[in-house]
Amino acid sequence: MTLPRAAQILEQVHKVTKVQKLAEVGTEVTFRVSAPLDLRADLARAIVGGGLDLLQMGRASSRLESVFLELTADRNTPADGRTTGDVAS
């Protein structure tokens, strides 16, 4: 079966900390790979080099990073950078 082989290939990439299967539809399997840095190029080389097909890959920000950015965003600053009380001339 391809699934264990794909997971093993992903787990062997240097700096990968976790491989989690998210979905399986027919012969397509979706994984989430955790790592402290962007390893997409290394992951793609490993999968294709292992004789498997890679149909899609993307990068998702961590939940913690997303929450931090949301909490630290200045909600009172419009897109043009003016703050309340500024007058455009």
Side-chain angles (χ1 to χ4, degrees), residues 70-87:
E70 185 178 322
L71 291 174
T72 59
D74 185 356
R75 295 172 195 253
N76 296 323
T77 302
D80 64 4
R82 293 182 290 151
T83 58
T84 307
D86 288 350
V87 177

Side-chain angles (χ1 to χ4, degrees), residues 1 3 9 11 13 16 22 25 28 30 33 36 41-43 46-47 50 53 55-57 63 66 74 77 83-84 86:
M1 180 177 197
L3 175 61
I9 289 170
E11 288 172 341
V13 173
V16 166
L22 298 179
V25 178
E28 295 181 16
T30 302
V33 178
D42 295 334
L43 295 168
I47 288 294
D53 294 328
L55 302 179
Q56 182 177 0
M57 182 180 294
R63 290 186 201 156
S66 298
D74 185 356
T77 302
T83 58
T84 307
D86 288 350

Side-chain angles (χ1 to χ4, degrees), residues 18-41:
K18 183 178 180 182
V19 176
Q20 177 184 8
K21 182 179 93 170
L22 298 179
E24 185 172 359
V25 178
T27 60
E28 295 181 16
V29 182
T30 302
F31 291 99
R32 173 175 288 139
V33 178
S34 301
L37 60 148
D38 187 356
L39 297 176
R40 286 179 292 174

